Structures are given as structure tokens and as C-alpha cells.
Amino acid sequence: MFDFLPQIPLADWVDDFTVWITNTFSFIFNPIRNQFGDFMSWTADQLASIPPVIVILLVAVLAFFITGKRYGLAIFSIVGLVLVYNQGLWDELMNTFTLVLISSLLSVIIGVPVGILMSKSKVVEAIMLPILDFMQTMPAFVYLIPAVAFFSIGMVPGVFASLIFATPPTVRFTNLGIRQVSTELVEAAEAFGSTGFQRLFKVELPMAKGTIMAGINQTVMLALSMVVIASMIGAPGLGRPVLSALQRAQAGPGFVAGLSIVILAIIIDRITQNLNKSKA
Amino acid sequence: MPIIEVENLSKIFGKNVKESLQLLDDGKKKDEILKQTGDTVGVNRVSFEVEQGEVFVIMGLSGSGKSTLIRLVNRLIEPTEGSVMIDGENLATMNKEDLRRVRREKLSMVFQNFGLFPFRTILENAEYGLEVQGIDKKERAEKAKNALDLVGLGDYINQYPKQLSGGMQQRVGLARALANDPEVLLMDEAFSALDPLIRKDMQDELLELQQKMKKTILFITHDLDEALRIGDRIALMKDGVIVQIGTPEDILVNPANDYVERFVEDVDRSKVLTAENIMRRPETINIDKHGPRVALERMGEEGLSSIYVTDNQRMLKGYVTAEDAARARKNEIRNLNEILKTDVPTVERDKPMQEIFEMIYDSPIPIAVVDNGKLVGIIIRGSILAALAGESEVQINV
């Protein structure tokens, strides 16, 4: 129907653009890949070097206290983590945990300030909303390709992909949380002569904390869900056995690795949720 | 010098501000402007002054622009036009830093729904205004504690707002406003969210505090009874315009127009009017000049059964009855002193009418209204009925 229009070489442009970015910013990407990659494997090694018994006990104690001295989550943690160890997936678990931890931390460090900016400025909000939609709906495989171009393979592009996918909830919830602070409290802050920063840190952020924590919880869960996809670009962790089981059509090992991810997810989810409740 | 001077203050919400201002100049009304430009006139060319130590009440129904007006006074809302002078400084045009300084040092606000920070303890809430000024911890805790003691919450400093009742929460709001010792208290429907009994307590307490502190208070309310109770002067607002400014008596007795009149129709006048408002000019005789004969004559002329007696300085001496005066004339008694009765029912001129009811019920003679012993007026049953009925012939002055 629209044959009179020649095909727009969009794909070529993006290709060229990616190459251009890779070449132009290699002075940034390369140090990130090396230094950050080293840091991440160091962290994973450190975690893996702690005897599993101690890790399991620590998690159980943390779960016990953070859920208000209830045994449920603590017992689940012990049983679940022992099962993961028993299946010979402990090192993978530690790698996955490192990946989730680091990418969630980065997501929060980037996401909260962006969310604050969005809440303060309609212009920033108007710019960010489509970007966030883009980040959340674009299939993850698509940005794995440039991620590899920028950062080669391993943990670092995994973190990069996870950042893109998992940061939006933190941004959105931070924005929402601050905008939802009641007018009267904002007026009270203003009427007593608060500066912008005082208003933000003494009133708005404390009031929005619950909502922001809900966003962070979502971010952590999304980061975890990126584990399998990240393993396609060589990120170590529980995604690998899932992927190899998929390639070899082995239902059993695939299920075991998948179950390990679920166990980790439940423990992290309940702990971060209760972190929110106990302080709010 | 008045501490708050508001002049020609306007606020227009919308996009065609210039056009709307022009229409205001042409004398167009709020709804006409809304139709023509789509803009809402919040406050329309309002001017008033509040003196140091005065309780000035702005009263109006919802949509009258009163909440917008109070927010223009501390510039939580940017004025479209006009000036707000606080202590000689124009708030409407000053830069942000000066504005912050004035808000910190001179203006405090109390909010309708208290506006307390739920994650802070009572003490921390009361400290807020001092905290943002960067006052050190010890000093601000002390000042905040004092303010909380003042409102009777000294024992609750470590509780959280949710643990307190509504009335107590608003005391915290009040303490927070008082903690940084402002010159002006802005109270936005401060007691409207409380139930009626508590509201009355809070009004009394505010008046009591005001006796001690002598702050200038700008109080917003939609409740006329509240306005009449606590206001030294009241401004009545409608559609963004101040319809009338005056003392409670002024507003009740001389309503500026039909709107005000309809408004004050349902007011319980007995709570507001005082002896002064309902008294009449007394018929008297002078003890230094007159005898029983004159007394009897005067009573005959006016159709009275008794008459008040004063001296040359108009000091109240007592009264004589027609009966006694007639007997005295028969017995050739010349001096009024012999028949003078001194069991006079008297009230001071600022006695609320409500408290006069019972006196007049028991009293066979009119009640004497005195000012430092001088007779300034009398109250008869008829004048009370007239005042309750809201008749316009009620006199304010002697």
C-alpha cells in the first residue's frame, strides 16, 4: 500500500549507532568492564568462601528477627537453602545473589534520584515516562546485543541488562510516593520556612518511604527474573543450569535450578517486604 | 502600625490572567469571568489591616476564597496582584530567601487537618519550625517542650500523632506554631475538624492563651458562631470579595447587605450581644437637685413605676418607686435620700446578654447598666426581646 515509500533503513542506523557508541565510549566501557567485572567476581568469591552453614544460619536469624520473631520464614530459609546446597548449586546461588544484589543496588542508586527529579518537574516526568515504558516493554533479548557489544560477556552486561529492566519500578514508585504526599504536609513544611532540600528529606521522602520500598521490592524481584536471560550472555549463576537444561531438553535439572531461583526469590521478597513494614 | 496590611490582593486561577484582571477592572462578577475566560477568581481585590495583638477572623462559606486568602498571606499561593505587608515588608514581591526568613521568624500556620508529620514524635513535630532554622538540638527541644507545656501536652512528647485524639493533635499543631515564637499565627479552619464540644474547649483555650501571649491571629472559619466567639474583628467573604469588616456586634447589628443579613439571621444573638448593645437611654432624676415631687412628675410623664437616681456626676445612687414618691409628697418629705432604695440590679456594659436573662426575669425594675459606677443605660424586658428578634432599632451607643 505504501510502496512508494522506500524502506527506511532503521536497523542499519541502529547498527551504525551501536558501533559508533562502542568505539567512541570504549574509554568508559572498557574500564567499567574490567574494574567492575573484577569487583563483582571478587564479591561473588567472597560470598562463596563463607561456609554455607554460616550463610544459612545468618539468613535464618535475619529472617527470624525481621519478620517480628516468627519462625515461618526462618524455617523456610533453612530448608530451602539446604536443598539448594544439597543439589550442588551453592556456588551458582552465590553468583546469582551477587548479580541481584549489585544490580538492585545500582537500580536504587540511579532510580530514586531520577524518581525525585520526576516528582519535582513536569518536564522531567514527561520525558521519563516514555523512556520507562520503553525500558519495561522492549524485549530483554534486544538490548542484550548492544550490552555484549559494550561490555563483552559475563556479569557486567548482565548487570547492565538487569538495570534497564529492573530500574523502572523504583523510579515510578519514588515519583508516585512523593507526589502522593498530602498537600497539607507539604504546605506545613513550606509554611515553617523549609528549604527545598529540607522539605524533601524531612517530609517528602519519609512520607514516601513505604511506596518507595514497594518499588524497590519490585526492582529486586525483576532483577532476579533477569538471571536466566543474563546467563545467555555468559553471566554465571542459577540461570546457567536452566539454560543448559533447556538446550539439552532435560526436565529434571531444569526444574531443580528453577526451584532454586524460586527459593531465593521468596526469601529475598519476604525479607525486603518486612524491611519496609518494620520501619514504616 | 498594623502588623498585617493586605492591599488590593487578588488571585486568579487559570490561563488568561491578564484578560480576567481586565474584566475585574470592568466590574465583572466571578461567574461572568469564569464563563468568558475559563478562569476562577479566588480572591478579588481584598484589602484589610490587622493590628498587633488582634484576633482577626475571616469568615465565609466554602468557595468564598477564604482558604486561598490565608495562603496568599504567607504566600503558599502566589498572588496575582496586590501586596501583603507583614511588619512593613512586602511579602508578595520579596525573593525566596527573604520569604523563608519571614515565614520562619514572623508567620506560623495551624492547619485544618493538623498537618502533623506522622513519622515524628510529638516533640519532634513541635520542633520542626526550629529545626529548619538550624537551631541546635538542646535549645529547640527546650522551646518545643515549653510550647507543648503551654497547650497542656508536656507529658506526651514521646508519643506519635496517631496515638492522640483529634483535639490533642491540634494542640500539637498549635504548639508547633508557637514554638518559634512568631508574631502572627495563621489558623486555617483550625478547629473545624474537631467535634463541637472539643471545638468549644479549643476556642476557650485559644482565647486564654491569647490573653497571655498577645499574638496577632488571623483565623479562618466557616462557622459564624466561632467567628463571633473569638474574633475581635470579623471579615465576611463571599465570592472572593470581603463583604463587610467589623466587630462581631457591627456585623450582627448593622449588616452591610442582604447577604450578611441572611447570614447572621440564625445566629444566637444572646451569646454575642452585650448589655451595651441592648440598653436604652435611662430616665433619671438628680439627687442633688430634685425631690420626690419632680420624681413623681417625671414618672408620670414617662409612664414609669420607678426611676433611677443619680448625682451630679451621673453616679448611680439607687432608685425610687412611684408609690414611695407619692407617700413622701403627702408627708412633706423633701429629701430623696429617705425614700431611696439601693437594692439595684446592675450589670457592667460588657455583660453578655445571655447572662442578663435570669436577672431580668427576677427583677421588678429595669436593670441598670453601669460603667465604673456611672449609669449609662437601662435594660427592660422589651429591649431584650427586640434584640433577640434582631430588630434594627437596637442601639449600639448610649
Side-chain angles (χ1 to χ4, degrees):
Chain A
M1 190 188 257
F2 295 109
D3 284 343
F4 60 92
L5 272 179
Q7 189 188 13
I8 302 167
L10 198 54
D12 291 340
W13 291 345
V14 176
D15 268 345
D16 293 346
F17 184 63
T18 311
V19 171
W20 179 78
I21 288 189
T22 314
N23 292 335
T24 318
F25 295 100
S26 62
F27 70 96
I28 299 176
F29 293 144
N30 289 340
I32 290 181
R33 183 177 67 207
N34 298 331
Q35 308 293 329
F36 192 62
D38 288 352
F39 169 71
M40 289 201 59
S41 19
W42 179 81
T43 311
D45 289 348
Q46 294 303 309
L47 280 174
S49 71
I50 306 170
V53 186
I54 293 181
V55 175
I56 294 173
L57 281 180
L58 278 177
V59 171
V61 169
L62 180 68
F64 175 69
F65 282 107
I66 218 158
T67 52
K69 302 196 177 175
R70 266 179 262 173
Y71 292 103
L73 185 61
I75 291 170
F76 176 84
S77 305
I78 294 173
V79 174
L81 292 176
V82 167
L83 179 69
V84 174
Y85 180 78
N86 172 267
Q87 295 299 312
L89 293 171
W90 188 259
D91 285 346
E92 282 78 2
L93 182 76
M94 286 301 114
N95 272 317
T96 294
F97 182 66
T98 309
L99 185 71
V100 171
L101 185 74
I102 303 268
S103 56
S104 304
L105 269 178
L106 284 175
S107 285
V108 171
I109 291 170
I110 296 168
V112 172
V114 173
I116 291 171
L117 284 178
M118 269 177 85
S119 73
K120 293 291 169 189
S121 152
K122 277 186 185 167
V123 179
V124 177
E125 191 183 34
I127 296 171
M128 281 309 297
L129 279 177
I131 296 179
L132 292 175
D133 292 338
F134 190 89
M135 287 163 78
Q136 282 186 299
T137 48
M138 183 61 95
F141 300 103
V142 176
Y143 47 77
L144 284 182
I145 307 163
V148 172
F150 300 158
F151 300 110
S152 168
I153 57 166
M155 277 240 198
V156 180
V159 170
F160 175 79
S162 166
L163 266 186
I164 293 181
F165 186 61
T167 309
T170 296
V171 179
R172 285 185 202 273
F173 277 69
T174 303
N175 177 35
L176 180 74
I178 291 178
R179 283 181 186 272
Q180 272 178 343
V181 176
S182 83
T183 340
E184 202 173 66
L185 290 186
V186 174
E187 280 185 341
E190 285 290 313
F192 285 95
S194 310
T195 61
F197 274 98
Q198 286 172 333
R199 171 177 145 182
L200 180 66
F201 286 103
K202 290 181 191 291
V203 178
E204 288 173 328
L205 284 181
M207 286 304 293
K209 200 176 79 186
T211 313
I212 296 175
M213 288 304 289
I216 291 175
N217 173 268
Q218 286 300 299
T219 289
V220 175
M221 300 319 283
L222 288 182
L224 196 57
S225 74
M226 278 299 282
V227 163
V228 177
I229 295 169
S231 69
M232 295 180 71
I233 47 172
L238 289 169
R240 274 193 185 168
V242 173
L243 201 64
S244 80
L246 180 70
Q247 284 156 350
R248 294 171 205 168
Q250 295 168 318
F255 178 78
V256 173
L259 184 66
S260 305
I261 294 178
V262 172
I263 289 169
L264 180 63
I266 290 177
I267 295 173
I268 291 181
D269 177 61
R270 298 299 184 276
I271 286 181
T272 51
Q273 271 190 22
N274 279 288
L275 204 67
N276 181 19
K277 272 183 216 154
S278 61
K279 281 187 184 168
Chain B
M1 194 178 77
I3 188 153
I4 306 176
E5 287 173 274
V6 170
E7 211 183 311
N8 236 352
L9 193 63
S10 298
K11 176 66 192 181
I12 289 165
F13 297 101
K15 289 176 178 164
N16 307 309
V17 174
K18 267 190 187 163
E19 202 182 325
S20 302
L21 275 177
Q22 185 61 45
L23 289 173
L24 274 188
D25 283 333
D26 300 344
K28 288 271 177 2
K29 293 249 171 67
K30 184 177 173 165
D31 35 349
E32 292 172 309
I33 293 175
L34 179 66
K35 223 176 260 170
Q36 278 198 29
T37 65
D39 287 359
T40 306
V41 179
V43 171
N44 179 2
R45 305 274 152 85
V46 161
S47 303
F48 63 88
E49 291 178 352
V50 183
E51 298 293 334
Q52 179 88 43
E54 189 179 23
V55 180
F56 190 88
V57 178
I58 296 170
M59 135 95 221
L61 299 178
S62 66
S64 62
K66 56 190 191 305
S67 289
T68 307
L69 180 55
I70 200 173
R71 281 166 176 72
L72 290 172
V73 171
N74 66 353
R75 219 172 113 185
L76 285 177
I77 296 176
E78 288 291 329
T80 307
E81 206 185 47
S83 68
V84 180
M85 307 289 282
I86 303 289
D87 219 1
E89 288 181 282
N90 190 351
L91 208 76
T93 53
M94 64 177 47
N95 63 35
K96 285 205 162 162
E97 220 159 287
D98 285 333
L99 177 63
R100 259 203 304 277
R101 175 179 51 78
V102 171
R103 282 175 176 171
R104 286 174 178 182
E105 291 169 6
K106 297 189 176 160
L107 300 168
S108 276
M109 194 159 176
V110 181
F111 293 87
Q112 179 170 11
N113 298 307
F114 323 133
L116 299 180
F117 306 122
F119 50 88
R120 288 172 158 249
T121 64
I122 300 309
L123 184 68
E124 287 166 348
N125 263 291
E127 276 179 353
Y128 187 83
L130 301 160
E131 190 181 319
V132 295
Q133 291 181 41
I135 289 169
D136 73 61
K137 229 177 166 159
K138 220 174 152 190
E139 193 185 336
R140 73 184 190 228
E142 198 183 299
K143 284 185 176 173
K145 182 87 175 36
N146 286 341
L148 285 167
D149 283 336
L150 208 60
V151 298
L153 285 180
D155 297 335
Y156 294 86
I157 54 173
N158 291 321
Q159 307 256 2
Y160 284 86
K162 264 191 193 156
Q163 295 170 283
L164 270 52
S165 69
M168 285 159 99
Q169 288 190 35
Q170 193 55 298
R171 279 164 215 248
V172 179
L174 194 56
R176 179 176 63 180
L178 292 174
N180 44 343
D181 196 27
E183 291 173 37
V184 177
L185 271 182
L186 304 173
M187 305 188 71
D188 177 28
E189 301 247 15
F191 304 145
S192 299
L194 306 174
D195 66 60
L197 281 177
I198 309 267
R199 192 187 309 167
K200 223 177 145 206
D201 285 348
M202 290 295 285
Q203 291 164 358
D204 289 342
E205 207 162 311
L206 181 70
L207 290 176
E208 214 170 285
L209 275 174
Q210 173 65 359
Q211 292 271 315
K212 285 186 229 163
M213 304 180 310
K214 304 266 188 287
K215 300 278 180 207
T216 307
I217 300 179
L218 187 62
F219 195 104
I220 302 282
T221 182
H222 64 261
D223 178 356
L224 186 59
D225 280 327
E226 183 168 73
L228 296 169
R229 226 169 120 80
I230 64 172
D232 292 327
R233 281 192 304 147
I234 298 170
L236 251 147
M237 273 189 96
K238 188 195 179 221
D239 291 342
V241 182
I242 290 188
V243 187
Q244 183 174 9
I245 298 184
T247 61
E249 286 84 351
D250 279 346
I251 297 224
L252 279 185
V253 176
N254 300 318
N257 59 23
D258 285 356
Y259 177 75
V260 182
E261 200 164 331
R262 244 178 309 141
F263 215 100
V264 299
E265 236 168 31
D266 299 329
V267 171
D268 185 352
R269 286 157 179 276
S270 66
K271 283 185 194 157
V272 183
L273 296 179
T274 59
E276 192 174 21
N277 301 129
I278 54 173
M279 67 192 183
R280 294 187 173 178
R281 213 167 57 79
E283 288 300 328
T284 57
I285 53 170
N286 188 329
I287 197 166
D288 296 331
K289 291 185 199 156
H290 306 136
R293 182 183 293 267
V294 179
L296 208 52
E297 247 167 52
R298 190 74 51 89
M299 279 187 266
E301 279 165 24
E302 304 290 333
L304 303 170
S305 60
S306 63
I307 192 162
Y308 275 111
V309 180
T310 59
D311 62 11
N312 279 332
Q313 275 76 49
R314 278 191 78 78
M315 298 301 281
L316 179 64
K317 288 296 176 191
Y319 68 95
V320 295
T321 63
E323 226 172 278
D324 288 347
R327 203 179 308 129
R329 193 172 64 171
K330 215 185 256 171
N331 300 342
E332 301 281 318
I333 294 172
R334 287 287 159 88
N335 198 332
L336 276 176
N337 270 319
E338 289 181 32
I339 55 166
L340 190 68
K341 289 194 167 151
T342 53
D343 55 335
V344 187
T346 60
V347 293
E348 289 292 323
R349 59 198 300 170
D350 58 354
K351 185 85 153 177
M353 192 167 122
Q354 207 174 21
E355 293 168 36
I356 300 172
F357 286 154
E358 211 165 310
M359 282 180 77
I360 204 150
Y361 185 77
D362 294 334
S363 169
I365 60 166
I367 292 173
V369 182
V370 294
D371 185 16
N372 291 323
K374 275 197 178 110
L375 180 69
V376 292
I378 57 165
I379 297 171
I380 61 172
R381 289 176 200 184
S383 46
I384 287 202
L385 290 176
L388 282 179
E391 274 177 23
S392 52
E393 74 226 33
V394 174
Q395 300 287 307
I396 303 178
N397 299 314
V398 183

